[in-house]
Amino acid sequence: MRKISWGIIGAGDIVRKRIVPAMQEVLNSEVVAIARGKADMAAAFAAEFGIPKWYADYREMLGDDEINAVYIASPVHLHAKHTIAAAEAGKHVLCEKPMAMDATECDRAIAACEVNNVKLGIAYYRRFYPVVERIRRAFRDDEIGKPIFAQINSFEAFNPGPEHPRRWFVEKAKSGGGPMMDFGCHRLEILLNLFGKASRVESINANVAYDREVEDTSAALMQFESGTCASLVVTHAAQESQDTLDIFGTAGSIHIASLNSGEIKIVKGYETRIEMHPPSANFHSPLIEDFADAIINDREPRISGKTGRDVAVIEDKIYGR
């Protein structure tokens, strides 16, 4: 099997914990280079993971003919810039979520990839969760009737100090927003995947606990063209962590207490069935494998730039952009 040779822009927590291990795990990928702004840190990261090459300037890495594809893991305000630069260098692009600061930036990134005939994917890895596919199967098999209302709560306590390495997540010019941009986008992708295009979006963005540039709490109410309604609540301020999904239909309901666990409860009439559909040990492995396969077999990746833009369109409405 042909292998895709990856270069990575950025070397934060997600790259260390998930991306590099996934690329070294799946059969159709290998990591050949890492680019990081500080040369000493780039060299140390490459040595730690056995990566053959490192660059302090990502533009030099993009000129490396050995590299087929680039994973972009820089702060959000650089996603479109790095995607366009990689596309113009003839590299396929898999970009971290959210795809860009807004839908207009998404359009520029998509256009650059199309003009340069390279693949573009976005790292919404939950599309590959077996439990999400189980929900789609429940809909196809009419297990809960017509879906009427879905509710997602996603709570992660986060209040970084001025020197925290992830401080940029709460700096509006770099992140574009607070928890709705950071991890709310993952849940928006799930809702779009399950229910299709959103026809109506209303929102509340608030600073309930913290005085900072971006919201610490956001709530969105949506209706989809299918008729289904949904609410999504995200916060950095609640102490209790939550990652729930509940779907109520005309003939039953679906309840997931933690999406990452893969446990699903399906209720219909007097029957309650509990099933386990856990994700891969490394959540990113199926994403990396799919994107590499899309390059090898010249097809669209399952999570394309269009998906990233669809999420951005809803985010733009939530933030009133």
Side-chain angles (χ1 to χ4, degrees):
M1 175 187 287
R2 176 187 167 197
K3 282 191 175 185
I4 298 304
S5 297
W6 291 87
I8 303 173
I9 300 176
D13 283 350
I14 196 68
V15 173
R16 176 179 297 277
K17 295 176 181 177
R18 301 267 185 82
I19 304 307
V20 170
M23 290 176 179
Q24 293 177 334
E25 170 187 291
V26 300
L27 296 177
N28 60 5
S29 294
E30 60 183 355
V31 189
V32 300
I34 186 83
R36 192 171 190 173
K38 295 182 179 179
D40 58 337
M41 297 180 75
F45 190 96
E48 179 182 352
F49 286 94
I51 299 171
K53 305 177 187 180
W54 60 267
Y55 296 87
D57 188 331
Y58 76 92
R59 290 166 295 191
E60 290 184 19
M61 187 184 76
L62 294 179
D64 188 332
D65 291 335
E66 186 180 357
I67 295 171
N68 309 118
V70 174
Y71 192 100
I72 295 173
S74 49
V76 181
H77 72 294
L78 296 173
H79 284 183
K81 175 183 176 180
H82 288 163
T83 296
I84 292 168
E88 290 176 345
K91 313 299 185 186
H92 302 284
V93 179
L94 182 53
C95 183
E96 259 300 331
K97 56 75 196 167
M99 180 178 171
M101 296 286 275
D102 54 37
T104 300
E105 284 195 351
C106 292
D107 288 336
R108 294 205 297 270
I110 291 169
C113 291
E114 289 178 347
V115 166
N116 290 282
N117 196 31
V118 296
K119 309 293 183 188
L120 173 59
I122 311 301
Y124 287 118
Y125 57 81
R126 287 186 171 194
R127 176 70 65 93
F128 298 90
Y129 277 15
V131 74
V132 174
E133 182 53 38
R134 178 66 182 91
I135 296 170
R136 290 175 59 84
R137 192 163 72 249
F139 292 170
R140 289 195 299 268
D141 295 344
D142 200 31
E143 292 185 53
I144 66 165
K146 180 177 175 58
I148 301 301
F149 189 80
Q151 166 72 52
I152 294 180
N153 289 343
S154 184
F155 306 163
E156 295 181 17
F158 184 61
N159 187 33
E163 304 303 319
H164 195 285
R166 300 176 74 219
R167 176 70 183 181
W168 69 266
F169 279 88
V170 296
E171 296 174 0
K172 189 173 183 179
K174 294 181 179 179
S175 66
M180 187 60 79
M181 280 291 283
D182 179 18
F183 50 84
C185 65
H186 268 303
R187 284 73 185 175
L188 291 172
E189 189 279 324
I190 287 174
L191 292 172
L192 287 167
N193 180 22
L194 294 177
F195 303 116
K197 187 176 180 180
S199 57
R200 183 180 177 187
V201 180
E202 306 289 343
S203 66
I204 296 172
N205 300 300
N207 289 92
V208 182
Y210 306 128
D211 181 16
R212 60 193 193 190
E213 296 177 8
V214 300
E215 85 282 358
D216 62 38
T217 302
S218 180
L221 184 64
M222 292 155 275
Q223 185 170 25
F224 298 87
E225 290 183 351
S226 61
T228 303
C229 297
S231 65
L232 168 62
V233 181
V234 297
T235 185
H236 280 158
Q239 188 59 42
E240 179 181 339
S241 177
Q242 287 205 4
D243 186 20
T244 64
L245 170 58
D246 297 283
I247 303 171
F248 301 89
T250 54
S253 58
I254 291 171
H255 306 276
I256 299 175
S258 173
L259 270 163
N260 287 344
S261 75
E263 181 177 303
I264 182 172
K265 180 169 71 172
I266 302 174
V267 180
K268 187 170 185 178
Y270 295 105
E271 290 186 17
T272 297
R273 185 167 67 258
I274 296 177
E275 301 175 4
M276 290 297 300
H277 302 277
S280 296
N282 185 330
F283 300 154
H284 282 73
S285 292
L287 171 79
I288 300 297
E289 188 171 30
D290 174 79
F291 190 78
D293 182 76
I295 297 170
I296 293 167
N297 291 299
D298 192 23
R299 62 168 176 82
E300 275 295 286
R302 283 184 62 188
I303 312 295
S304 67
K306 179 184 182 302
T307 299
R309 186 189 186 279
D310 288 345
V311 173
V313 167
I314 298 181
E315 288 174 331
D316 285 351
K317 292 178 180 179
I318 289 172
Y319 287 106
R321 293 194 287 245

